[in-house]
Amino acid sequence: HTHNNQPSFGRSKHDNIFATFLSLSTTKERTENNKMVSLVATKNHIHHVMILVHGIMGNPKELGYVHQALEREFEASVAASVATASPPGESSSTTTTTTTTMSLLVHSASCNEQDSLDGVEAGGLRLATEINELLQDLVAGDEIAGSLLQPQKQPDEGQQRQQEVHHTIALSFLGFSLGGLYSRYALPFIEWNIPLPESISPDTSIQVVPNIFATAATPHLGIKRMTYWKLPQCLEPVVAWYLGQTGRDLFRQGHGRRQSTKKANLETTEEDYEDLIQQMSLDPKFLLPLSKFSKR
């Protein structure tokens, strides 16, 4: 099923944010005979998190159709995988059961709904904060932390059970227009290892794996001398001023204010680059996280 209501980040504090999870699983078994003496169970939980990021002066519903289409395609894909699961294999004294459970959370970012004119940096930092809080809530919720607290089923008499449980979060982005720049700026500030609550497993974290990074209609090189309707060069500073710090970033009017260089522990400084677009295009601190995505 699909959900027409977009997640309302920050308004209801994630009360219903995981309603978009499609918990579907596939199971592959190499099974059993009457003389089975041990049972080895491996549970792999892959939590796909797709972040949709709207453009300038947009809102979370901007990519609503994509939101619903992703859920439909994911549900159909996993259902087909279940239908073609491997049949039982040859009998053995050891039964090995590997279960892979895949979940999808499509989240429409809302942190920049109220203001998208205060610069790529400010919007990118807000996006990183929203994503980090989302991932922390996911790890602390029933899907991960809650499942680790569930009592394990006891094996039958004469059997020995060995069980391994693995959780992985696969993080993907789809940024539209300015949302693509927000997403790129946010990458150095994403927490790629989310600690489990200490009450469950101290000093243990869940790995966040960069999966897919996609943008659409994003001005990765800015819009200076590349506007849809050609502007006289003398008017570009006027339009940039009208669009605030975001306009100055897009028209590459220099750096302006920068809050995050020290926060990200960047080795370079803003003086090393003519503008933010150039820095995001050349600075390894922005390029390295992007390069880790399996598809981009």
Side-chain angles (χ1 to χ4, degrees), residues 25-89:
S25 66
T26 59
T27 303
K28 297 181 180 179
E29 295 183 350
R30 281 209 326 263
T31 150
E32 88 257 0
N33 58 27
N34 294 331
K35 297 181 180 180
M36 178 176 61
V37 294
S38 68
L39 186 95
V40 180
T42 301
K43 293 185 177 181
N44 297 318
H45 301 271
I46 302 175
H47 307 272
H48 295 276
V49 178
M50 168 64 80
I51 307 296
L52 305 181
V53 190
H54 65 76
I56 190 169
M57 291 185 283
N59 61 72
K61 296 181 180 180
E62 188 172 289
L63 298 173
Y65 177 81
V66 177
H67 187 129
Q68 296 176 19
L70 286 169
E71 291 180 340
R72 286 197 305 269
E73 290 300 315
F74 182 81
E75 185 174 22
S77 175
V78 176
S81 175
V82 172
T84 58
S86 300

Side-chain angles (χ1 to χ4, degrees), residues 129-175:
T129 299
E130 178 172 346
I131 293 171
N132 288 335
E133 291 183 6
L134 176 71
L135 296 176
Q136 290 165 6
D137 283 357
L138 172 58
V139 169
D142 291 341
E143 290 290 330
I144 296 180
S147 69
L148 297 176
L149 288 174
Q150 295 177 359
Q152 304 298 329
K153 181 180 178 181
Q154 295 299 319
D156 296 333
E157 185 177 354
Q159 295 180 342
Q160 294 180 346
R161 172 178 288 270
Q162 299 175 3
Q163 179 165 298
E164 297 180 357
V165 179
H166 304 284
H167 287 275
T168 303
I169 298 174
L171 182 63
S172 299
F173 287 83
L174 174 57

Side-chain angles (χ1 to χ4, degrees), residues 38-268:
S38 68
L39 186 95
V40 180
T42 301
K43 293 185 177 181
N44 297 318
H45 301 271
I46 302 175
H47 307 272
H48 295 276
V49 178
M50 168 64 80
I51 307 296
L52 305 181
V53 190
H54 65 76
I56 190 169
M57 291 185 283
N59 61 72
K61 296 181 180 180
E62 188 172 289
L63 298 173
Y65 177 81
V66 177
H67 187 129
Q68 296 176 19
L70 286 169
E71 291 180 340
R72 286 197 305 269
E73 290 300 315
F74 182 81
E75 185 174 22
S77 175
V78 176
S81 175
V82 172
T84 58
S86 300
E90 298 178 357
S91 61
S92 170
S93 61
T94 300
T95 292
T96 301
T97 302
T98 300
T99 303
T100 300
T101 302
M102 293 179 287
S103 300
L104 173 67
L105 171 62
V106 183
H107 177 71
S108 296
S110 61
C111 59
N112 292 312
E113 180 179 6
Q114 300 300 321
D115 191 355
S116 58
L117 299 182
D118 58 351
V120 173
E121 175 197 21
L125 291 175
R126 283 194 296 267
L127 178 62
T129 299
E130 178 172 346
I131 293 171
N132 288 335
E133 291 183 6
L134 176 71
L135 296 176
Q136 290 165 6
D137 283 357
L138 172 58
V139 169
D142 291 341
E143 290 290 330
I144 296 180
S147 69
L148 297 176
L149 288 174
Q150 295 177 359
Q152 304 298 329
K153 181 180 178 181
Q154 295 299 319
D156 296 333
E157 185 177 354
Q159 295 180 342
Q160 294 180 346
R161 172 178 288 270
Q162 299 175 3
Q163 179 165 298
E164 297 180 357
V165 179
H166 304 284
H167 287 275
T168 303
I169 298 174
L171 182 63
S172 299
F173 287 83
L174 174 57
F176 174 69
S177 187
L178 180 62
L181 292 178
Y182 282 153
S183 300
R184 284 181 53 204
Y185 196 94
L187 293 182
F189 307 98
I190 300 295
E191 297 178 10
W192 298 102
N193 288 282
I194 309 297
L196 282 166
E198 292 188 1
S199 59
I200 296 176
S201 182
D203 302 321
T204 302
S205 61
I206 302 298
Q207 183 181 11
V208 180
V209 178
N211 189 23
I212 299 172
F213 190 94
T215 62
T218 294
H220 291 288
L221 299 179
I223 59 176
K224 184 177 183 179
R225 301 180 186 177
M226 292 187 288
T227 54
Y228 186 77
W229 290 287
K230 186 172 179 61
L231 290 175
Q233 191 172 351
C234 63
L235 290 182
E236 288 189 349
V238 178
V239 178
W241 170 83
Y242 178 76
L243 295 175
Q245 183 59 44
T246 298
R248 289 189 284 274
D249 289 338
L250 294 176
F251 280 99
R252 306 185 65 169
Q253 298 291 314
H255 256 287
R257 67 181 186 275
R258 291 287 169 263
Q259 306 169 4
S260 57
T261 300
K262 183 176 180 180
K263 180 178 178 181
N265 195 25
L266 302 179
E267 296 177 359
T268 54

Side-chain angles (χ1 to χ4, degrees), residues 5-19 107 110 133 137:
N5 295 327
Q6 300 295 320
S8 179
F9 187 90
R11 297 190 184 95
S12 59
K13 193 55 180 175
H14 310 152
D15 286 343
N16 299 313
I17 201 167
F18 299 115
H107 177 71
S110 61
E133 291 183 6
D137 283 357

Side-chain angles (χ1 to χ4, degrees), residues 184 187-188 273 277-293 296:
R184 284 181 53 204
L187 293 182
Y273 303 98
I277 295 293
Q278 185 185 71
Q279 181 178 0
M280 292 172 62
S281 301
L282 300 176
D283 193 334
K285 295 298 181 180
F286 289 102
L287 296 179
L288 183 59
L290 182 61
S291 71
K292 294 181 178 180
F293 284 80
R296 57 192 183 276

